[in-house]
Amino acid sequence: MNYRWRIRAVVLLFLLVTASAFDYKDALSKSLLYFEAQRSGRLPYNQRVTWRSHSGLIDGLQQGVDLVGGYYDAGDHVKFGLPMAFTITLLSWSVMEYGEQIAAAGEYGHALEAIKWGTDYFIKAHAEREVLWVEVGDGDTDHYCWQRSEDMTTSRKAYKIDSEHPGSDVAGETAAAMAAAAVVFRRENPRYAEILLRHARELFEFADGRRGRYDGSVREARRYYPSWSGFEDELLWAALWMHKATGREEYVDYVVEKAEEFGGTGWAMTEFSWDVKFAGVQILASKLLVEGNLSKKQRGVLEQYRSKAEHYICSCLNKNNGSNVHRTPGGMLFVREWNNMQYVANAAFLLSVYSDHLSKAGQQLHCPNGILTIDDLRGEAKAQVDYLLGSNPLGISYLVGYGPKYPTKVHHRGASIVSYKRSKGFIGCMQGYYNWYARPDPNPNIIIGALVGGPDSKDRFKDDRMNYMQTEACTYNTAPLVGVFAKLHQHIQEVSNSTTTFSS
């Protein structure tokens, strides 16, 4: 009898230890706080990041349009429409896939607030049917200054696309964000969801009807968020989200008809980002295969999308013939030196989503170099998340504010300067550089939940705010983690419950 109880105890200990050493619920809560730190505009009464205050209150005034609100993308104060829209699309997708898990962790309301802060801004930015304001502020002048957002003296000029100056990529991504958010709000706020869907329809028609890259129309965006992949991936992406929001077959037909022309069934990708969305397109298209009422032609083309989606998944687990995502010695997926953590977070999310798709379809994944199970995909997603939370050679969490050791000199203007709430004295453009940027001390404000750019290809990381390639964080880094953290927290709860039942 004692022997049997010892075996039970060992198994119980093994299950608890292998489940995780990380508190994913805490990581989830912190990740949603980050979006409050990035808010532009008049902050609400329930603002939880108290070192921030109102900012950008005259945005759009020069152009005669209200552009107050939205998010600063990273450590500066420009509002770039393309990455902001991608952030909202990913947040909405996270809620769609893992809303129950987010709610169980007590964070559903905060997730909706994070989404709505973005979509409220996009409603303002979509001022006319074929007009979309896509940038506020100028990256060049903004980067000359190191100031708090509350003290901004840099240009707040706004830039737009219209019928004569197209931007199918940013209009398409904004349509995707509005459509995805409409799905999220349909139950909670149906009237708001209808407003979002109307804007999404108009933006998709604008994006498709007036084709062109936005960085050809808004030259100020070229140095910061150029559309290297073109606009075709955004048009396919937007069409898929329009189908999700409306159920209309015309959007499936669009994705099928444009599959070859737009590269949806041609590009085999090993990355997914704010610019290159083909892997996300291919995974969304693959998920349609479990739906009924597909024509033979639709099913055939969607199978081609599925093949390319699985190329991405196989590449993340080193199961392709030579075309795999590089790994660091510590096991982190590595795409490129600048802000690599965005690719890690996105991969973890897509692996998680596709594992759920395979589970629903009752399938395994047949890669060129072997078969992958659902547990393989989920295990890799968890491994990448665990790496960024501290299971890495340096033992550092790249999610700021999580765990005992994390970056303290994040490349972020507001975090690196004394809070406006504590010291309202004006800090000038160059004064910030002289007095705050080069300080060797940790930032006075902790930007909780920010996922910094992270280590290099050898797992090396230098915590220095001048090292912006590694210590700057972006909204689209953290966005996909919201869903993954919630799913992993649920998994830990299930393991804990099963081991409690087993021990009794």
Side-chain angles (χ1 to χ4, degrees), residues 384-414:
Q384 294 303 313
V385 169
D386 288 353
Y387 182 103
L388 68 87
L389 289 180
S391 183
N392 55 65
L394 298 180
I396 184 173
S397 166
Y398 295 107
L399 188 77
V400 178
Y402 179 89
K405 183 181 179 183
Y406 51 81
T408 61
K409 301 173 186 176
V410 180
H411 182 92
H412 188 280
R413 284 159 175 75

Side-chain angles (χ1 to χ4, degrees), residues 231-252:
F231 57 78
E232 292 82 0
D233 51 340
E234 277 87 6
L235 288 178
L236 294 171
W237 176 249
L240 286 162
W241 285 115
M242 288 302 298
H243 171 70
K244 183 75 173 176
T246 66
R248 295 176 67 93
E249 190 174 354
E250 65 188 80
Y251 296 112
V252 178

Side-chain angles (χ1 to χ4, degrees), residues 302-322:
L302 292 175
E303 285 287 356
Q304 295 177 49
Y305 276 105
R306 180 192 59 79
S307 175
K308 291 302 189 288
E310 294 188 348
H311 178 278
Y312 172 80
I313 299 297
C314 293
S315 75
C316 290
L317 284 97
N318 202 36
K319 291 294 184 179
N320 279 334
N321 285 325

Side-chain angles (χ1 to χ4, degrees), residues 135-170:
E135 182 176 332
V136 178
D138 171 32
D140 289 343
T141 58
D142 186 271
H143 285 191
Y144 289 141
C145 290
W146 196 262
Q147 289 177 290
R148 302 173 297 198
S149 59
E150 296 85 355
D151 291 326
M152 278 190 292
T153 57
T154 52
S155 169
R156 301 308 290 170
K157 182 178 178 181
Y159 303 88
K160 68 180 178 179
I161 57 170
D162 56 31
S163 58
E164 296 183 359
H165 307 88
S168 299
D169 27 32
V170 66

Side-chain angles (χ1 to χ4, degrees), residues 30-204:
K30 285 179 164 58
S31 68
L32 286 165
L33 271 175
Y34 170 60
F35 295 100
E36 297 192 22
Q38 294 301 106
R39 285 171 171 170
S40 178
R42 185 167 295 279
L43 303 185
Y45 73 93
N46 60 348
Q47 169 82 7
R48 295 179 296 161
V49 179
T50 56
W51 53 267
R52 281 293 323 283
S53 190
H54 311 309
S55 64
L57 299 181
I58 60 170
D59 284 358
L61 181 63
Q62 183 181 349
Q63 285 73 36
V65 60
D66 178 7
L67 295 175
V68 175
Y71 289 108
Y72 303 120
D73 72 303
D76 50 24
H77 302 133
V78 183
K79 295 191 295 199
F80 291 103
L82 182 58
M84 191 194 307
F86 182 63
T87 296
I88 300 306
T89 307
L90 288 188
L91 280 173
S92 298
W93 195 3
S94 288
V95 172
M96 261 183 270
E97 297 285 346
Y98 303 115
E100 290 184 8
Q101 293 90 333
I102 293 170
E107 294 294 340
Y108 193 76
H110 293 138
L112 293 191
E113 287 173 4
I115 294 168
K116 194 171 185 294
W117 194 267
T119 51
D120 282 351
Y121 173 78
F122 293 139
I123 290 171
K124 295 179 178 182
H126 185 214
E128 301 173 40
R129 191 178 187 92
E130 291 193 343
V131 173
L132 179 66
W133 295 89
V134 299
E135 182 176 332
V136 178
D138 171 32
D140 289 343
T141 58
D142 186 271
H143 285 191
Y144 289 141
C145 290
W146 196 262
Q147 289 177 290
R148 302 173 297 198
S149 59
E150 296 85 355
D151 291 326
M152 278 190 292
T153 57
T154 52
S155 169
R156 301 308 290 170
K157 182 178 178 181
Y159 303 88
K160 68 180 178 179
I161 57 170
D162 56 31
S163 58
E164 296 183 359
H165 307 88
S168 299
D169 27 32
V170 66
E173 183 59 65
T174 310
M178 301 288 247
V183 177
V184 170
F185 283 103
R186 185 164 290 150
R187 185 182 65 180
E188 307 293 332
N189 191 340
R191 184 175 178 277
Y192 187 66
E194 281 303 314
I195 293 171
L196 295 177
L197 191 53
R198 175 175 60 81
H199 282 279
R201 285 196 189 98
E202 292 181 359
L203 284 165
F204 179 75

